[in-house]
């Protein structure tokens, strides 16, 4: 029943599913490239971990700073100039 393709009694080795030659070549190529790509990705993350962490930290910080600045600028009557000044000084 289905892709296994055993004989009528349900015994025997499963039949091999016919795939196109291009798909077989792609499968063989990916089996050879996949371990190398994983190893390369691990080395890249290891070697650039400090830069990646600084990038992530700055992205989060600048996103929060942008949100605070937008809120302070939108508060026309009760804005706090010292909050804006300290934020600008810290980002500079």
């Amino acid at each position: 029943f289905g892709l296994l393709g055993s004989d009528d009694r349900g015994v025997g080795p499963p039949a091999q599913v016919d795939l196109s030659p291009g798909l077989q070549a792609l499968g063989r190529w990916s089996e050879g490239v996949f371990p190398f790509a994983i190893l390369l990705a691990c080395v890249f993350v290891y070697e650039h971990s400090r830069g990646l962490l600084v990038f992530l930290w700055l992205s989060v910080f600048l996103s929060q700073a942008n949100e605070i600045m937008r809120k302070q600028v939108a508060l026309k009557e009760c804005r706090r100039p010292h909050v804006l000044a300290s934020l600008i000084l810290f980002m500079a």
Side-chain angles (χ1 to χ4, degrees):
F1 187 81
L3 293 176
L4 291 179
S6 58
D7 63 2
D8 294 338
R9 296 172 299 175
V11 294
Q16 192 169 6
V17 178
D18 291 332
L19 298 174
S20 68
L23 192 57
Q24 288 177 351
L26 181 66
R28 276 188 244 111
W29 178 79
S30 66
E31 285 177 352
V33 170
F34 188 69
F36 177 72
I38 293 295
L39 183 62
L40 187 64
C42 290
V43 169
F44 178 82
V45 168
Y46 177 75
E47 291 291 329
H48 297 88
S49 59
R50 185 181 303 152
L52 292 170
L53 289 174
V54 168
F55 172 76
L56 289 174
W57 182 79
L58 283 174
S59 297
V60 169
F61 171 75
L62 291 176
S63 173
Q64 292 293 333
N66 187 29
E67 186 177 330
I68 291 170
M69 189 171 291
R70 283 181 186 216
K71 285 180 182 177
Q72 287 296 317
V73 169
L75 289 175
K76 295 187 180 187
E77 292 180 8
C78 58
R79 75 173 63 148
R80 299 178 187 152
H82 66 281
V83 172
L84 284 172
S86 64
L87 189 62
I88 291 172
L89 286 175
F90 190 71
M91 288 192 320

